[in-house]
Amino acid sequence: MSAAFIGALVGLVIATIDFTLLRMLASRVDLPETKRVLNITGLTQFALLPVVGWFVGPLFAGE
């Protein structure tokens, strides 16, 4: 496994945790606009964090 792939997997795990926490927060909020923004933010993490991890992983591994 390459460092980039491991970085992407770590980004995906962090995105999953972040999505879960944002969904829990959205269930406690009263305003529907805020719920929608929190859900959209959680979903965008699935696209952004693995990509960031792909590029940051080799930097930490020294490749």
Side-chain angles (χ1 to χ4, degrees):
M1 255 198 244
S2 69
F5 186 70
I6 292 172
L9 285 178
V10 169
L12 187 62
V13 168
I14 293 172
T16 303
I17 294 168
D18 189 35
F19 178 72
T20 304
L21 292 175
L22 286 173
R23 290 292 302 243
M24 288 172 38
L25 180 63
S27 69
R28 300 184 62 149
V29 174
D30 293 330
L31 296 174
E33 296 89 9
T34 307
K35 288 183 181 186
R36 184 171 17 119
V37 168
L38 288 171
N39 287 328
I40 290 170
T41 302
L43 289 173
T44 57
Q45 298 298 327
F46 280 111
L48 295 177
L49 287 178
V51 172
V52 170
W54 181 269
F55 292 108
V56 172
L59 294 176
F60 279 114
E63 290 182 6

